[in-house]
Structures are given as structure tokens and as C-alpha cells.
Amino acid sequence: MALFPLRLFLGITFIYAGIQKLSDPGFLHPGAPTYIGTQLEGFANGTPGGFILRAFAIPHPGVAGVGVAITEILIGLLVTVGLFTRIAAAGGMCLNFLLFLTASWNTSPYFLGPDLVFSFAWLPFVLAGATGQPALDNLVENPPEGLVRRTRLTPMTGGEVAESSPASTRRVLLAELAGVALAIAGISTLVKGNYSPSRTLTANTSSAGTGSGGGPAAGAGKPGADAGAHTSKLPKGAVKLGPGSRLPREQAATYSDPASGEPDIVIRDSQGNLTAFSAVCTHAGCTVGFQGGVIVCPCHGGEYNAETGEVIAGPPPAPLAPKKVMEAGGQIYAVPS
Ligand code: FES
């Protein structure tokens, strides 16, 4: 009974994890920071379990993502009610161990990654099931005296009927729970909001401004504020990214850093100001995106403040490095720093 709260926690967390994936408007939307294909690419990059993702998941990211979400919901339901507990716990353990070998592999120190902890949390239920706890497994095997037993009557030849075996009762319950899992998955998918795509600006080195003089630093630009400014005032090495009109307020775009070639992200806030940061997550190097007003990392749920780059949630150990951008003559420029 001491492990009963842990079993409920694991079951409910898995149900929530499945719902959270399917209700995320960007989960199945290519180009979204939380797109499952982007996550899988990040998980497979330089990790020991990457070959499994490349073989089975990356070729069909949508199927893999939805399949994992429904599997999580089903495992969560089974573990919560205590049906086929050992098998469901083994499934949960395998899933978390695969995530440890991929999604959490580059987490340092290792104990900041949750998947290894989850893998070991499943172990007692793989070894002992829900023995001694409130669980359908136990009710099916040993219905308590005095209680109305949930039994199924199976027709037999000659008009006889026989009580169904515990195994067949479990199969009926499993089918019912699978139906509940699909219903939860369907509702989660229906309630998800619309995804607003972020944009990509392409650095155009042939149009780079090379004049001298100090331009406004990151955060100083406003749409159209510098329209008409002469490009001769651009700082040395400034690289044109594209028209400012392509980046509306409360939208973001990614571009290649003119100095390092690494991805950067530029965000226009609700006032029209531009801020830019490295788009390389400080946790394990995944490329971040912009969603719901914050910078989000698809790999382990890291979140950064879109104005300062400070970490506001998740495992990233440090803020995003600030980058310089400016707007002049209706164009956005990246300024090497
Ligand atoms: S790489 Fe782990 S949160 Fe970004």
C-alpha cells in the first residue's frame, strides 16, 4: 500500500502526458517549435537511442507521435485502475528508458533528466504489479465477499451458462479501457487550438550593409520606424534578413547567425520592438521556437522569457545568448556581435 500513491502518480502523469501532446496545436504542425518531427530529430541527434527513432519514428513522425500519445493514455489508465499492471508498467518503463536514451541523454548532470527516474519508479510495479493495493487485477482474481461481483456470463452449449474466467474478464475490461483511451485522445485532439506559424528569415549576405556608424541594438527597432534610414548607417558586417513587414507583432522568425551560422531567433513584441537571441537551447542544444508569447524548447519543455532570454521553466541551466538585430529602410538586419 505504501507504493499506491506512486502508482497513481505514474498513471495520472502518463494520461496527462498523452493529453498534453494531442492538445498541443503545434504537435502535428510541421514548422512549429513543438512539432513532433522537430522533437524526434532533436532526440535522435547524437544519442545512443537515436537509431531506433531514425528507423521507426522519424520516417512517420505524425503516426509515431499520435501512437505514443495514445499508448501513454492507455498505459496511464491501466496503471491507475490496476489492470494488467505489470505489463502496463513494463510498457511505461520501456518508453521512459527509450526517452532516457534519446530525449534526456544529453542532460547534464544526468539526474536533471526525469526519464531515468521514471524508469526506476516503474520498477516496483514491473516486479510486483499492484499486489496489496486497490486494483482491478486483485478484484478480478479475488472478488471480496459480500460485494456484487462484476462477472460476465458466457453462453455454453445446451443452454448452460458459465461464469467467465478472470482472463476473459480482464480482456473485456482491457477493451473497454482501450475505448476510453481513444475517446480521451479524440477529445484532446478536438479541443486543441489553432497554431500560428512562426516565420523564417533568410540571411542575404549579398545585400549586407557594410557602412559605418552605430545602428540601434537589439530591441531598438520598430516596424517602419527606421523606414527611410540610409543603409550607409548600418554597422559593419550587418546582414539583411528580410523586409520588416514579414515579421508582424507578436511573431518570431529564425535566421542563421551571420558570424557562427548557428540558428538565432528574432521576436517582434506587441509594441513592435525587436529582440533577438541565440536559438540554441542552453540545455542540450535543441533549436528553440516561439509560441504563446514565450520562447519554448521542443526537447524537454524548457521556456525562456521572450524579452530577456532568461529561463522561466524547465531544465535549461542558463539564459539564451542575446543577439543584435536592427531595422532600417524597412529591412531587418542581423548585426554580428
Ligand atoms: S534541449 Fe532540453 S530543454 Fe532544450
Side-chain angles (χ1 to χ4, degrees), residues 281 283-286 297 299-302 315-316:
C281 181
H283 180 224
C286 291
C297 177
C299 289
H300 313 102

Side-chain angles (χ1 to χ4, degrees), residues 2-17 72 75-77 79-81 96 114 117-119 121-122 125 133:
L3 289 172
F4 184 45
L6 177 61
R7 198 189 96 208
L8 289 183
F9 169 77
L10 292 170
I12 292 168
T13 300
F14 256 52
I15 295 170
Y16 174 70
E72 285 177 334
I75 287 175
L77 285 171
V79 170
T80 301
V81 301
N96 278 122
V117 181
F118 268 93
S119 297
W122 284 114
F125 306 105
Q133 298 173 7

Side-chain angles (χ1 to χ4, degrees), residues 91-125:
M93 190 179 188
C94 289
L95 195 52
N96 278 122
F97 196 68
L98 176 62
L99 290 169
F100 165 66
L101 293 176
T102 53
S104 296
W105 184 256
N106 292 316
T107 303
S108 179
Y110 73 94
F111 51 77
L112 290 181
D115 293 304
L116 189 60
V117 181
F118 268 93
S119 297
F120 278 96
W122 284 114
L123 190 56
F125 306 105

Side-chain angles (χ1 to χ4, degrees), residues 167-310:
S168 66
T169 303
R170 278 201 186 92
R171 281 197 292 274
V172 171
L173 290 170
L174 175 62
E176 290 174 355
L177 277 183
V180 172
L182 287 176
I184 292 174
I187 293 168
S188 306
T189 305
L190 288 175
V191 300
K192 75 172 190 276
N194 291 326
Y195 173 70
S196 331
S198 64
R199 290 138 198 268
T200 302
L201 295 174
T202 306
N204 181 353
T205 50
S206 64
S207 304
T210 54
S212 60
K222 287 191 176 181
D226 293 321
H230 201 278
T231 53
S232 65
K233 292 184 179 175
L234 292 171
K236 185 173 170 51
V239 175
K240 185 160 78 175
L241 301 176
S245 58
R246 281 184 52 200
L247 189 59
R249 295 178 185 215
E250 299 182 329
Q251 295 276 324
T254 53
Y255 63 93
S256 291
D257 189 280
S260 66
E262 296 276 319
D264 291 342
I265 184 167
V266 54
I267 301 158
R268 194 188 294 283
D269 67 17
S270 57
Q271 306 301 310
N273 299 320
L274 296 178
T275 48
F277 303 96
S278 164
V280 179
C281 181
T282 58
H283 180 224
C286 291
T287 301
V288 300
F290 183 70
Q291 194 169 308
V294 295
I295 299 171
V296 296
C297 177
C299 289
H300 313 102
E303 294 185 4
Y304 301 86
N305 184 301
E307 293 178 6
T308 64
E310 296 288 334

